[in-house]
Amino acid sequence: MPTSNHSQQPIGIFDSGLGGLTVVKELNLHLPNERIVYFGDTARVPYGGKSAQTIIRYSREIVRALLKYKVKMVVVACNTASSLALEVLKKEFNVPIIGVIEPGAKKAVGVTRNKKIGIIATSSTIKSGKYAKNILKLDKDVRVFSQPCPLFVPLVEEGWFAHKVTYEVAQQYLAQIKKAGIDTLILGCTHYPLLKEVLGHVMGLKVELVDSASEVAVKVQELLINKKLLRSRLGPAGHVFIVSDEPEQFKRLAIRFLGGGVKNVRRHHYV
Amino acid sequence: MPTSNHSQQPIGIFDSGLGGLTVVKELNLHLPNERIVYFGDTARVPYGGKSAQTIIRYSREIVRALLKYKVKMVVVACNTASSLALEVLKKEFNVPIIGVIEPGAKKAVGVTRNKKIGIIATSSTIKSGKYAKNILKLDKDVRVFSQPCPLFVPLVEEGWFAHKVTYEVAQQYLAQIKKAGIDTLILGCTHYPLLKEVLGHVMGLKVELVDSASEVAVKVQELLINKKLLRSRLGPAGHVFIVSDEPEQFKRLAIRFLGGGVKNVRRHHYV
């Protein structure tokens, strides 16, 4: 297989915190030869209620930090950062950058039969309207129903995945889009796959839950093949995890997402 | 009344976000002549789960920003920052600095009759052990029962002050300290006074809820009198509010805490 000079370099991924590890998990499955440099902005998490200006500034700083690790491409795993900063990042940096919104929208459009798609995400992601825009670009006949769910991230971080309270919060948040008769629900935040049991229960069996992580992995694979950037070398993945707050807490919580294998965790110091 | 040269200068107050406005409200009542410069670190909120090292760095940056406004003293309104950063700040800066832990502890020790005090706060505040330490310094016979309540801040920010879900979360968090038979509960986070209704309901009439805001105002007053720093000039308070994220959202939410009067909101840009 022909490869470019950069093919042995790692893939850069970032998220506001731990959520992006759901994308790392899918990449591990689809592209086991690849090395990953993951950046979790744990000192400034969460992004979901913050402004575009702030999210753009944070994302820019993180891409710069990832480029120091000579990453061959960047995955913006955070839905909020993908919604608010992706276009700016693509303009400013000379490395392939992909987000999670477009793959998630594509998957949902492929899944829906009644052309009614629901989106749950952070307030900032919903406010950006990026999911709706991407869906309508693919199929202008789809009807989109959006709901911000600001309590889901703290509930995941509390570890209340299948708690009675989480169930009740989900019932309240999902009431409107359930009533709208959607058949497809986009989990528009990397934390939400951990609530699949509760979300599935509340929405019922006829609604398919779409999380973009696996679709993102497919898109990364396509991009690496097209650009001749697939890593050919076999052997241990040797991922590096960088966090802006204390590494120990990240290690402890990361197991909820990855189930293990989080060893090389470093602390990033902002200048 | 004798005054120093600095007496006309404003009081600096900071918090991770909006919560410290409960302290501003009390200061407005106790010291209506004083001008306040309030700093809410809305771009990096919340502090409650972050490490001491990160909280110290953030607090240091904010005190520096406040000193540019020539504040005559600094109130660390955030319980997490008071727990983790106060001692460092006092050493590093040449201006009187007070936190909210010691006043809250003092008030609770004055209130309890059965010498059993409960503390609810963020994870980082509880982990620091500072409330317990301050209480035992005042009365070594008091028994202290602590409980981190990480979901309370997001619930307040969602505006679910008296929501069924908030009630259930409170029942779970408070079960152990209720069983311990405390007669005094310290609300060890500036957001929690907004949940007084629910907390009072769960704990029952025999438990007194102590929030440090009014006690902090008393301590500020004492300090200003002792140091001859009370502002003598009458007239409009002219508070200034500085936030690190978008001012508009802060203005909109601040009304929940202050009930109005939040006009001059500026954005702080980190260097």
Side-chain angles (χ1 to χ4, degrees), chain A:
Chain A
M1 189 186 295
T3 56
S4 94
N5 290 335
H6 304 306
S7 63
Q8 302 307 313
Q9 291 165 212
I11 298 169
I13 302 184
F14 77 88
D15 183 55
S16 58
L18 293 129
L21 295 175
T22 54
V23 177
V24 173
K25 200 175 176 178
E26 288 294 326
L27 287 175
N28 285 343
L29 287 171
H30 286 74
L31 299 160
N33 288 348
E34 296 295 332
R35 289 185 305 141
I36 288 170
V37 179
Y38 180 91
F39 192 116
D41 197 5
T42 49
R44 306 192 288 201
V45 70
Y47 283 5
K50 289 163 190 169
S51 70
Q53 199 184 340
T54 292
I55 301 307
I56 288 168
R57 180 163 68 85
Y58 290 172
S59 301
R60 189 185 280 136
E61 286 175 17
I62 293 169
V63 173
R64 276 194 205 123
L66 287 172
L67 288 174
K68 288 192 180 154
Y69 285 82
K70 302 196 182 306
V71 296
K72 60 187 172 188
M73 69 170 296
V74 171
V75 181
V76 186
C78 174
N79 282 265
T80 306
S82 292
S83 299
L84 301 173
L86 184 63
E87 285 162 34
V88 176
L89 297 176
K90 279 184 166 180
K91 270 179 214 152
E92 292 185 1
F93 294 98
N94 193 20
V95 62
I97 304 181
I98 68 167
V100 293
I101 307 295
E102 197 237 300
K106 193 179 156 195
K107 191 168 169 189
V109 170
V111 163
T112 186
R113 287 160 184 263
N114 72 1
K115 292 188 189 278
K116 286 182 181 175
I117 297 175
I119 304 158
I120 54 173
T122 66
S123 302
S124 298
T125 298
I126 295 297
K127 215 169 126 192
S128 79
K130 284 290 159 63
Y131 266 112
K133 204 177 144 191
N134 272 280
I135 288 168
L136 296 174
K137 219 195 294 176
L138 294 166
D139 185 345
K140 64 173 180 37
D141 296 329
V142 169
R143 288 179 63 198
V144 174
F145 303 88
S146 302
Q147 175 64 47
C149 304
L151 285 166
F152 280 172
V153 170
L155 284 165
V156 167
E157 286 178 353
E158 184 67 322
W160 289 11
F161 305 127
H163 195 284
K164 189 181 153 221
V165 160
T166 308
Y167 186 79
E168 284 179 4
V169 172
Q171 275 186 315
Q172 172 157 347
Y173 280 154
L174 301 174
Q176 286 300 317
I177 49 177
K178 197 178 170 183
K179 222 164 123 184
I182 60 161
D183 71 350
T184 308
L185 179 65
I186 297 179
L187 311 187
C189 172
T190 45
H191 281 72
Y192 297 177
L194 283 89
L195 301 176
K196 263 187 180 163
E197 196 184 318
V198 166
L199 299 173
H201 204 72
V202 171
M203 293 308 295
L205 289 172
K206 288 180 189 161
V207 176
E208 186 149 350
L209 306 182
V210 167
D211 84 84
S212 46
S214 63
E215 196 68 23
V216 170
V218 170
K219 198 171 169 185
V220 170
Q221 193 167 28
E222 280 173 15
L223 187 143
L224 294 180
I225 291 170
N226 289 339
K227 300 210 180 259
K228 302 190 189 351
L229 284 171
L230 268 184
R231 184 166 185 257
S232 53
R233 210 175 294 161
L234 287 168
H239 295 350
V240 175
F241 299 88
I242 308 161
V243 287
S244 48
D245 200 359
E246 219 256 312
E248 282 312 312
Q249 196 181 1
F250 179 83
K251 268 192 206 171
R252 214 169 44 245
L253 291 172
I255 206 157
R256 286 188 191 159
F257 288 84
L258 280 186
V262 181
K263 280 164 202 149
N264 190 354
V265 185
R266 303 172 191 180
R267 178 158 185 164
H268 176 77
H269 294 275
Y270 292 105
V271 187

